[in-house]
Amino acid sequence: MNEIEQLKQQLHKQEKLASLGLLSAGIAHEIKNPLNFVINFSKMSDKLLDDLAAVVEDNADRLPEADAEDLGDIVTSLKENMTQIKESGERAFSIIESILLVSRGKENEFLPSDVCHIVKEYVRLSYHAMRANYQGFNVTLHEQYQEDLPPMMVIPQDFSRAVLNVMNNACYAVWVRSQGADADYSPEISISVALSPNDQLVITITDNGEGMTDEVKQHLFDNFFTTKPVGQGTGLGMSITRDIIENKHGGKVTFSSVEGEGTTFTFTIPIKN
Ligand SMILES: Nc1ncnc2c1ncn2[C@@H]1O[C@H](COP(=O)(O)OP(=O)(O)O)[C@@H](O)[C@H]1O
Ligand SMILES: [Mg+2]
């Protein structure tokens, strides 16, 4: 009975996530419009501030010196604020774009994709989701993305989910370790994306979290195997990830883990033209 109850709770959670997934494409689309206003109006305001600065300069001799200086400082600060608004808006825009790209693809459709961009965005999404859900969560991220990687053929909506699953587990592992750790434990996760010499796409995610016992290593990819409390884990993440990387992309998921020290997951994906 207990197991049935747990399975029921897990299915409910999956159902909730599935409907969230559907919604997110719609939300992303709706947010793009107001975001465009934010970006465009901040650009316009920036130009207006240039005009304002010119007017102040032209009339500098009519203003008390201190006031002219104050005005100059205010305009400079406002311009800095505008730059911040514009850059944050553009950043939000790029996140939305990648969510839309990911949900736009048809099921099982391979599309030429900027793999580094996808990994980068999903690392961020996972990090911020953890921060929103686990009070006091923090981690130092080290990211290495090979430059000038050409677009790669992947199924973006699946590929991104695989990255998210492994990244979520890495975040959780460092969080758990930090709960019982001494003061000088510093949670870290390293992410790298590169092309191997034999033309395989290699993605690694390394955490210095709690690591795995032998038992966990054995069952890691089993459906519904989880060590997390009910409501926090479904035990589906790794089996879905393996299905995505190995069955759908013809690649390989490997890992190494030391209990109490950390874990590395590696995706190796042959390049498809
Ligand atoms: N980076 C990791 N560090 C330590 N344990 C991990 C890590 N990734 C996965 N695991 C273990 O594998 C189990 C299964 O992971 P997963 O299939 O994603 O399910 P869930 O995250 O819902 O528990 C986790 O509960 C955890 O015990
Ligand atoms: Mg998981």
Side-chain angles (χ1 to χ4, degrees), residues 164-170 172 225-226 228 232-238 241:
L164 187 66
N165 286 345
V166 172
M167 189 59 200
N168 282 345
N169 286 343
Y172 192 87
F225 174 80
T226 180
K228 294 170 191 169
Q232 303 203 22
T234 59
L236 288 170
M238 288 317 302
T241 301

Side-chain angles (χ1 to χ4, degrees), residues 10 13-14 165-174 176 205-213 216-217 219-229 232-241 255-258 262-265:
Q10 284 166 347
K13 192 170 174 209
Q14 280 306 108
N165 286 345
V166 172
M167 189 59 200
N168 282 345
N169 286 343
C171 287
Y172 192 87
V174 295
V176 168
I205 298 183
T206 301
D207 66 71
N208 67 348
E210 58 172 345
M212 298 179 208
T213 62
V216 172
K217 287 182 197 172
H219 296 289
L220 175 66
F221 293 106
D222 294 355
N223 278 325
F224 299 120
F225 174 80
T226 180
T227 56
K228 294 170 191 169
Q232 303 203 22
T234 59
L236 288 170
M238 288 317 302
S239 71
I240 291 174
T241 301
F255 71 96
S256 69
S257 183
V258 178
T263 303
T264 296
F265 274 95

